Amino acid sequence: MPPFFSRIALFRTAFNIKGLIKEGYSQYAFAGRSNVGKSTLLNYLFNQKIAKTSATPGKTRSVNYYLIDELFFCVDLPGYGYAKAAKSEQDLWRKVLESYFENNPALKEVFLLVDSRHLLLEKDEQMIEWLQYLGVPFSFVLTKTDKLTTNQLAKQTEAIKNAYPKNRSVFPVSSLKRTGRSELVAYIDDLQKGLAE
Ligand SMILES: Nc1nc2c(ncn2[C@@H]2O[C@H](COP(=O)(O)OP(=O)(O)OP(=O)(O)O)[C@@H](O)[C@H]2O)c(=O)[nH]1
Ligand SMILES: [Mg+2]
């Protein structure tokens, strides 16, 4: 494989709709509930601490475009479902997220991160419906798998696969134990080459 995921640069931080990018490099977005582990996963994929993470929800408050090997963007999104944020801020973020997914031909795949202990919650279901409505391809990433036994993880993976019989890919990862990276990176590589989906 040629060098892949080796040169990482923060290309843009968008705080509002005007800052969103809808053309140019292909985008792979990392979405999911607040605190599910999006930014931590990106740091693991990138092999460097470039995205801001926090033990308290609501850390990422902008749309962060990381340019990878000058080939494509990995996009770190703010989490949804953070009830403690001010209503005005939640409204702003809902609008920015909605706008991010709408009419975005550069968006090639959404990785929907789900905590492997909880699986799909109502907000995740809403997100899935929204993505399906828009026709945006998505896959699941089960995060924090270090919190489960092998058996529990197998059950959860099966459950999420069966919830969506359309053969969605499911990627179990632990950014803490550093497992699951190669499958995800290979999948993005395939998408880039037009080999997947
Ligand atoms: N045990 C465990 N904890 C993790 C893992 N990945 C992330 N975390 C923890 O989960 C918390 C949230 O991580 P973030 O990466 O900031 O979550 P986020 O989804 O980006 O959150 P927002 O930016 O608020 O939407 C942090 O305390 C991380 O250390 C993991 O694989 N295993
Ligand atoms: Mg984050």
Side-chain angles (χ1 to χ4, degrees):
M1 216 194 272
F4 198 62
F5 271 86
S6 53
R7 276 168 303 140
I8 320 290
L10 178 58
F11 183 90
R12 181 177 302 174
T13 298
F15 286 95
N16 52 37
I17 289 170
K18 272 196 199 152
L20 298 175
I21 303 171
K22 300 272 177 120
E23 56 186 15
Y25 299 111
S26 294
Q27 297 177 19
Y28 303 97
F30 291 74
R33 286 173 62 81
S34 202
N35 214 43
V36 72
K38 298 175 292 295
S39 303
T40 309
L41 174 62
L42 284 171
N43 286 336
Y44 168 43
L45 294 181
F46 298 163
N47 215 3
Q48 54 181 281
K49 284 209 168 106
I50 185 167
K52 283 183 197 142
T53 64
S54 161
T56 45
K59 182 65 181 179
T60 306
R61 303 204 172 194
S62 48
V63 177
N64 299 284
Y65 296 85
Y66 294 95
L67 183 59
I68 315 303
D69 299 329
E70 287 178 46
L71 288 173
F72 58 88
F73 288 129
C74 282
V75 183
D76 190 12
L77 294 169
Y80 48 81
Y82 178 45
K84 279 194 189 149
K87 173 94 173 56
S88 56
E89 201 178 352
Q90 287 189 43
D91 286 348
L92 171 70
W93 276 112
R94 194 174 33 76
K95 283 192 189 124
V96 175
L97 274 179
E98 278 177 16
S99 175
Y100 174 79
F101 293 113
E102 274 170 351
N103 301 320
N104 186 357
L107 176 58
K108 303 303 178 196
E109 180 98 357
V110 173
F111 291 101
L112 190 56
L113 275 64
V114 181
D115 190 313
S116 57
R117 293 166 296 177
H118 310 316
L119 289 185
L120 300 176
L121 303 177
E122 196 188 334
K123 294 265 185 201
D124 301 314
E125 303 273 6
Q126 286 168 2
M127 183 62 153
I128 289 164
E129 273 168 33
W130 174 238
L131 293 174
Q132 284 181 321
Y133 170 76
L134 294 173
V136 176
F138 65 93
S139 309
F140 292 105
V141 175
L142 292 183
T143 64
K144 310 190 186 183
T145 59
D146 50 276
K147 305 254 191 192
L148 297 183
T149 65
T150 312
N151 267 346
Q152 286 169 327
L153 177 60
K155 269 192 198 150
Q156 294 287 57
T157 308
E158 243 352 80
I160 204 158
K161 277 194 175 151
N162 291 334
Y164 290 87
K166 278 170 136 188
N167 247 345
R168 299 276 162 201
S169 302
V170 180
F171 298 96
V173 298
S174 167
S175 305
L176 187 80
K177 291 272 164 71
R178 303 180 70 82
T179 57
R181 181 183 187 276
S182 57
E183 290 81 358
L184 209 44
V185 167
Y187 184 68
I188 294 175
D189 192 24
D190 282 351
L191 288 171
Q192 270 298 106
K193 291 176 181 154
L195 293 174
E197 286 202 326

